[in-house]
Amino acid sequence: MTGTFSWNLLADLREMWSLPFMLNAFRAGTIVAVPAALVGWFMVLRRQSFAGHTLAMVGFPGAAAAVWLGIGATVGYLAFGVLAALLFALLPAGRGGGDESSAVGTVQALALASGMLFVALYKGFLNGTSALLFGSFLGITSRQVVLLGVVAAVALTVLALVGRPLLFASVDGDVARAHGVPVRSLGGVFLVLLGVTAAEVGQITGALLVFALLVLPPATVQVLTTRPARGLAASVLLAVVTVWVALFAAYYSPYPLGFWLTTIAFGGFVLAYAGRAVVDRIGRLAVAP
Amino acid sequence: MFAHPFLQNAFLAGTFVALAAGLVGWFLVLRAQVFTADVLSHVAFTGALAALAAGLDARIGLFAVTLLVALAMGALGRRARPGDVVIGGVFAWVLGLGVFFLTLYTTVRSGTGNGSAGVTVLFGSIFGLTASRAVGTAVVALVICALLLLLARPLLFASLDENVAAARGVPVRLLGFAFLLLVGGTAAESTQVVGALLILGLLAAPAGAAHRLTTRPLRGLALSAGIAVASVWIGLTASFLVPVLPPSFAILAVASLTYLGAAVGTRLRGTRPTVVER
């Protein structure tokens, strides 16, 4: 995409939004950024980045299978995301460490390999493979936007319902269990939420780049604040701003959305990290006479 | 079957890459660093495409970028063990860069007519290896195996009990870096064989199965390498006999089934060895 960029941002927005596919891209991007930021915040807190990334990757075989069988890609993304999440929920809990991560890694590699098999079965699909992996925000239809909105609303409702106990269980699982919080089932519910969110984001960013929106805004925010309510709000704000700026940049430059999305989000992360380090050092200097 | 040169090359490169992946993978699982390997394998993708976009040989980019990122991640983490969030952050950006280079490559060098380069790097092309490349791959893999076996004893000590090892004067941090470099080398190496996206399976599945079956280091290492090599052999044969199966898929399917078998088997018999405390 290359339009002519002017520094009058409102005029730019009006120009972009006069194109239906850009309007849909902005709608869909905003819709998926909200659950991504909220669920991602919990994911970073629970240190489940690897599971999150794997659930995102599972979208690739899901979409490839759906295309091969001739059903909508959205269904494929969601079905595989939820299935993989349930599979992870069944993994023996609590042991953690290398054992669990080798299971997650195996699932991820097998999922990708199956995606490749589906692509091979559905011949002449080479360009489609790139689209599934790296996303394309140009072909989002209004129907897809509605579907994304509905799924996001359901996911957000569930998250709102389990939010408080989930926070408790994530911060201190043992104490939460002692207080009668069903830590294990909450973990399962959260994984399904993560799977659904990854499936949502994957349709815009592609399976490979979901992770940028899931991990970077919450990670940035958690460098700056540890307070949950503030962190969740800031995370959503940051994710939405990132998506908007990235869509802007992708529209006015020859480079793909995924590149801008990850670069902008990573830039924010590095800035926050550096800022935090500087502030800490100044604070230490001020304390030490 | 072995009359076909492409299959000879595939078996030659595949065997040694699997050997390296099995050995390195066993330590990865022991040190709970599978996620790190995941990242490094994706970095390999970015490195290859960066080199292609710059007009260089993909292998230069593969090794240079993967080893550099391995060092950087080690530097960011405590005792050369990078944390979850740092890995995730770097990871997300590296993937984005990979897409950037892919676009650069397909637009700038579209004259070479190689739009499928990205897909090849991601999913490997083991049946497309030339004889010289297969030999080169095997040699590099052997060097990685030899280095790992040299480091094996202190690395095992450092992995099992970092603090005691440090107190005993084992250079824990240095070992962490060396191990990350070996992981990076394996990832870069195997990208040509099973592809950047799928090497994770060859690192995680045989090693995970071995860890479930035995806690004894020597036996575990041998088992892990054995399962990896067997997966490659069976996978290649299956892919040769049933052409619709892509070789990478067949290899990973065998490895994953082995893992599943080990997991279910040990659980049913209830003889699962207790996990070694890290």
Side-chain angles (χ1 to χ4, degrees):
Chain A
M1 285 292 101
T2 29
T4 39
F5 181 72
S6 71
W7 281 102
N8 183 351
L9 295 179
L10 276 181
D12 287 337
L13 267 187
R14 210 168 295 133
E15 186 204 318
M16 272 189 277
W17 286 357
S18 65
L19 302 166
F21 68 86
M22 278 313 282
L23 191 58
N24 277 339
F26 268 87
R27 281 182 186 146
T30 313
I31 287 173
V32 301
V34 176
L38 294 175
V39 174
W41 190 85
F42 279 101
M43 181 186 82
V44 172
L45 183 70
R46 296 167 65 86
R47 308 206 165 277
Q48 286 187 320
S49 301
F50 192 28
H53 174 239
T54 301
L55 288 175
M57 291 297 226
V58 163
F60 168 60
V67 171
W68 173 47
L69 297 173
I71 36 179
T74 308
V75 181
Y77 272 112
L78 284 171
F80 271 59
V82 171
L83 267 181
L86 289 175
L87 189 67
F88 288 163
L90 287 177
L91 286 179
R95 217 178 290 113
D99 200 37
E100 192 184 320
S101 66
S102 67
V104 174
T106 307
V107 169
Q108 182 185 333
L110 184 65
L112 287 168
S114 324
M116 202 193 162
L117 177 68
F118 297 143
V119 169
L121 290 172
Y122 183 89
K123 290 173 187 69
F125 189 54
L126 212 55
N127 292 324
T129 311
S130 295
L132 290 183
L133 288 172
F134 303 120
S136 77
F137 64 103
L138 300 178
I140 298 165
T141 60
S142 300
R143 260 192 67 204
Q144 217 176 339
V145 173
V146 173
L147 190 58
L148 285 174
V150 171
V151 176
V154 173
L156 287 179
T157 314
V158 174
L159 188 65
L161 287 176
V162 301
R164 269 188 73 89
L166 183 65
L167 181 63
F168 192 8
S170 309
V171 172
D172 196 330
D174 293 332
V175 176
R177 195 176 293 118
H179 276 267
V181 177
V183 174
R184 209 184 144 137
S185 5
L186 274 176
V189 170
F190 177 71
L191 278 170
V192 172
L193 274 178
L194 194 55
V196 169
T197 310
E200 288 249 297
V201 181
Q203 294 173 52
I204 294 163
T205 60
L208 270 179
L209 301 175
V210 170
F211 202 55
L213 212 51
L214 271 179
V215 81
L216 280 171
T220 308
V221 165
Q222 291 197 1
V223 171
L224 300 176
T225 175
T226 49
R227 298 172 72 167
R230 210 184 272 178
L232 284 168
S235 176
V236 169
L237 187 70
L238 194 61
V240 172
V241 169
T242 306
V243 168
W244 278 50
V245 176
L247 279 171
F248 243 95
Y251 181 78
Y252 287 109
S253 76
Y255 304 118
L257 175 70
F259 166 68
W260 289 113
L261 201 63
T262 50
T263 303
I264 292 163
F266 186 68
F269 178 65
V270 170
L271 275 183
Y273 217 84
R276 185 60 192 253
V278 169
V279 168
D280 282 357
R281 174 139 317 168
I282 290 173
R284 224 173 294 141
L285 285 180
V287 170
Chain B
M1 187 167 106
F2 284 102
H4 302 277
F6 76 92
L7 211 63
Q8 290 169 5
N9 295 336
F11 265 89
L12 176 65
T15 305
F16 288 102
V17 163
L19 200 63
L23 294 177
V24 171
W26 190 84
F27 277 104
L28 272 177
V29 174
L30 182 71
R31 296 166 64 86
Q33 283 188 321
V34 179
F35 191 30
T36 317
D38 188 17
V39 176
L40 285 176
S41 63
H42 288 71
V43 168
F45 160 68
T46 303
L49 283 174
L52 286 175
L56 302 169
D57 189 312
R59 277 172 293 177
I60 299 175
L62 271 178
F63 280 100
V65 175
T66 317
L67 296 181
L68 264 180
V69 173
L71 281 180
M73 288 208 308
L76 284 171
R78 193 182 59 89
R79 281 194 180 154
R81 276 192 199 220
D84 203 50
V85 172
V86 170
I87 303 179
V90 173
F91 188 20
W93 186 53
V94 163
L95 283 176
L97 277 184
V99 182
F100 171 72
F101 288 124
L102 180 62
T103 316
L104 213 59
Y105 180 58
T106 45
T107 52
V108 176
R109 298 185 181 269
S110 53
T112 53
N114 218 345
S116 62
V119 176
T120 309
V121 172
L122 286 173
F123 295 110
S125 54
I126 190 167
F127 282 163
L129 289 174
T130 60
S132 61
R133 200 170 254 213
V135 172
T137 307
V139 169
V140 176
L142 267 180
V143 171
I144 291 176
C145 290
L147 287 177
L148 189 74
L149 290 178
L150 270 180
L151 289 181
R153 264 186 77 89
L155 185 62
L156 182 64
F157 191 9
S159 309
L160 288 177
D161 199 328
E162 212 170 28
N163 295 325
V164 175
R168 281 291 195 90
V170 176
V172 173
R173 199 177 150 77
L174 212 61
L175 276 173
F177 272 114
F179 181 64
L180 280 176
L181 281 181
L182 284 179
V183 176
T186 314
E189 169 73 15
S190 328
T191 298
Q192 302 161 41
V193 179
V194 285
L197 286 184
L198 306 179
I199 174 59
L200 181 66
L202 217 44
L203 284 168
H211 272 278
R212 281 184 172 265
L213 294 172
T214 174
T215 53
R216 298 174 66 170
L218 212 56
R219 212 180 272 180
L221 274 169
L223 196 59
S224 174
I227 293 174
V229 172
S231 305
V232 169
W233 286 357
I234 299 175
L236 284 178
T237 312
S239 173
F240 177 74
L241 296 177
V242 189
V244 74
L245 291 179
S248 303
F249 170 79
I251 293 171
L252 284 171
V254 176
S256 306
L257 281 177
T258 316
Y259 180 78
L260 188 70
V264 172
T266 45
R267 174 168 281 200
L268 285 184
R269 282 167 53 205
T271 54
R272 195 176 180 298
T274 46
V275 174
V276 186
E277 286 296 324
R278 282 204 304 109

